[in-house]
Amino acid sequence: MDVMEAVAGRRLSRAPLAGNYAAAVTLALIALCPFIVLSTASQLLTPQLVKDLHASMFSVQLADGLANAGYAFGAVAAADLIQRFASWHLYVLAEIGFAAGSVLAALASSVGVFTAGRVIEGVATGMLLVAALPPLVTRHGAERLPLTAAFVNLGLFGMVSVGPAVGGQFAGDVNWRLLFVILAALGLTGAALGATAFQRDDDKNRMMGFDKSAIPVALAATALPFFGVSWLIRGGFTSPAFYLPVVAGLLALCSLLLRQYRKREALMPLRLIAHTLPVTGIATAMITGATVTACLELSIVYLQQVRHESAGFTGAILAAMAAGVAAGAVLFKMMLRTRWLPAFALIGLGAAGAGALLLLALSPSRAIPVVAAAGVLLGFAAGAGVSPGLFMAGLSAPSNKLGPTFAFVELLRAEAAFLVAPVVLQLAMQITPLDHGIRVALVVLVLLCAVSGAAILAVLLLGGSRPQTPDLQAWVGGDQPAYDSPPLAAAIRDV
């Protein structure tokens, strides 16, 4: 071993628990789970927040929307920062930031202060995604990769199913401020764990400049559309405050993608993943995530406003999603090494459509069993459709590009999930009676899944992508993708 290798080895082992797999899994889960739980708990907390903060429904929902925008933007910002600063520094600082945002929200006496705390939480969690997940996935060998993928699945999407139960509990007998105190404690715990367990990676280019072509545009691409859809509750679909920010934000997103594709030293490796398997994986994750989120919100509205159930009972019924997520995670672990991962992802998309279709059977007399059964399907869809799509993109680029790739995929997935759901929910709320409006919205989601599934399958077939087993060993090595994915429409280009 030469001097440079010895120095690098010491850098990677300075932390007492560096290299410990259990500690690495804990680092990733404690980084991501709190905000994800909050993202699906927030709908049940909204009435109490409106009352305690002396706020309007719009202002509380705007806080939630801007927090989600912060999450998407934080992932992109971290992809830039991670090139110049040590990952463990970013992790610890982001955890401290998350704790500070949670304290701010817990102590808030006005909705403005609460919004600031929520946005800080979102930005910090987006950064934690890029700082924590790639080291967990790439530094513990190909043998552990399927198990790691299952943990990521449970952490990212298992917590989605837990959120309503948590929200229902803290919207009832327990004060919501205590929830944010607990989140702050988790953030500080994560910071302490990061200082003792995160592997050191100090060899960064600290002279690398700020990516002026990406970060400001990414801010516009996230903040503007999330503000616009939050305005729906106040002004409806015809309001310029809705459609102008949404259109401007989506144009900014398109500009960001085009610039990143053309740029030689791009922040996000679009050129590397602009081919058949990653494109279909990303599209599957986007549509599945959007459908699951929208169905979850429509189920909450039906149970609370049609059935007049309590927040606690509503959350408990929706906890049935956890069983579906667990089943999806177990099967995902089994599928990751096989050639059938793209097919498994499409099955997840189909389960999302089936969950929306089952919810069409809602009626006051059978709402409870229908929502519970649909919850299992939707949980399975989240575990089988979103995570596989995320990994199809990640495995199609070299592992040393995993952080920027995850940032890109999560940007698009968050845009889809947190933009489609409010639009579909507002559509349902504008139709009377409400139960009819919910059915119309569910029909839209079923059609979205059916049309998107057919389009994704067509892209796979036109790409000539034959089932292939990913080369995980070579991928973990660093410089080559696990999949040999064909270019888009390769099958008809060769004709």
Side-chain angles (χ1 to χ4, degrees), residues 310-326:
S310 68
F313 184 78
T314 298
I317 294 300
L318 289 168
M321 288 179 65
V325 172

Side-chain angles (χ1 to χ4, degrees), residues 1 10-11 30-32 37 45 72 137 143 162 198 222 232 234 237 245 265 304 309 338 359 367-368 421 458 463 468:
M1 178 182 292
R10 284 196 297 271
R11 283 177 173 173
I30 205 170
L32 301 176
V37 168
L45 293 173
V137 173
E143 292 300 317
V162 174
F198 208 111
T222 51
L232 275 173
R234 193 171 192 173
F237 292 107
E265 296 294 332
Q304 290 202 291
E309 303 289 354
T338 75
L359 287 173
I368 305 307
Q468 58 180 286

Side-chain angles (χ1 to χ4, degrees), residues 283 286-292 294 349 352-353 356 416-417 420-421 424 440-456:
M286 290 172 65
I287 302 301
T288 305
T291 302
V292 170
L349 175 58
V420 170
V424 170
V440 171
L442 289 168
V443 169
V444 170
L445 293 173
V446 171
L447 292 175
L448 174 66
C449 289
V451 172
S452 300
I456 291 168

Side-chain angles (χ1 to χ4, degrees), residues 135-437:
L136 171 64
V137 173
T138 60
R139 290 180 179 172
H140 298 277
E143 292 300 317
R144 278 180 168 157
L145 190 52
L147 180 60
T148 299
F151 279 127
V152 171
N153 200 331
L154 290 172
L156 280 175
F157 308 109
M159 294 301 105
V160 169
S161 64
V162 174
V166 172
Q169 181 62 40
F170 282 89
D173 298 331
V174 185
N175 193 295
W176 60 268
R177 295 182 189 274
L178 177 60
L179 173 60
F180 286 93
V181 172
I182 294 171
L183 296 180
L186 289 173
L188 293 177
T189 301
L193 188 59
T196 57
F198 208 111
Q199 288 187 346
R200 306 305 197 233
D201 55 345
D202 295 332
D203 297 325
K204 299 291 182 179
N205 184 2
R206 299 182 187 278
M207 301 302 293
M208 184 177 290
F210 175 73
D211 193 336
K212 296 179 182 178
S213 69
I215 303 302
V217 181
L219 180 60
T222 51
L224 288 175
F226 281 89
F227 172 85
V229 295
S230 298
W231 189 269
L232 275 173
I233 194 173
R234 193 171 192 173
F237 292 107
T238 60
S239 172
F242 159 63
Y243 60 78
L244 289 179
V246 169
V247 170
L250 293 179
L251 288 174
L253 178 62
C254 292
S255 173
L256 174 67
L257 301 185
L258 184 61
R259 291 185 181 196
Q260 290 292 293
Y261 183 82
R262 290 180 172 178
K263 193 172 181 180
R264 177 170 296 181
E265 296 294 332
L267 176 62
M268 295 177 289
L270 264 67
R271 191 175 292 274
L272 290 176
I273 57 177
H275 40 87
T276 301
L277 282 178
V279 167
T280 54
I282 292 169
T284 302
M286 290 172 65
I287 302 301
T288 305
T291 302
V292 170
T293 303
C295 286
L296 177 60
E297 294 190 359
L298 289 169
S299 298
I300 290 173
V301 169
Y302 191 93
L303 289 175
Q304 290 202 291
Q305 297 190 30
V306 177
R307 280 270 305 190
H308 305 291
E309 303 289 354
S310 68
F313 184 78
T314 298
I317 294 300
L318 289 168
M321 288 179 65
V325 172
V330 170
L331 289 175
F332 178 36
K333 177 179 179 293
M334 297 168 59
M335 291 289 178
L336 186 64
R337 289 183 179 276
T338 75
R339 56 182 176 168
W340 302 114
L341 188 61
F344 182 61
L346 282 173
I347 290 173
L349 175 58
L357 188 63
L358 180 57
L359 287 173
L360 285 171
L362 279 170
S363 70
S365 62
R366 59 185 178 214
I368 305 307
V370 167
V371 169
V376 174
L377 275 174
L378 294 170
F380 178 79
V386 184
S387 278
L390 180 71
F391 273 83
M392 283 170 63
L395 294 173
S396 297
S399 62
N400 56 20
K401 298 289 185 182
L402 188 60
T405 301
F406 275 1
F408 171 65
V409 176
E410 279 299 283
L411 169 65
L412 294 184
R413 188 191 70 81
E415 290 267 359
F418 297 121
L419 292 182
V420 170
V423 169
V424 170
L425 185 59
Q426 184 63 23
L427 173 66
M429 299 294 284
Q430 289 193 347
I431 299 174
T432 54
L434 178 58
D435 57 345
H436 179 62

Side-chain angles (χ1 to χ4, degrees), residues 478-490:
D479 293 326
Q480 68 181 69
Y483 285 120
D484 181 18
S485 177
L488 292 168

Side-chain angles (χ1 to χ4, degrees), residues 18-33:
N20 182 282
Y21 181 67
V25 171
T26 304
L27 276 172
L29 295 182
I30 205 170
L32 301 176
C33 292

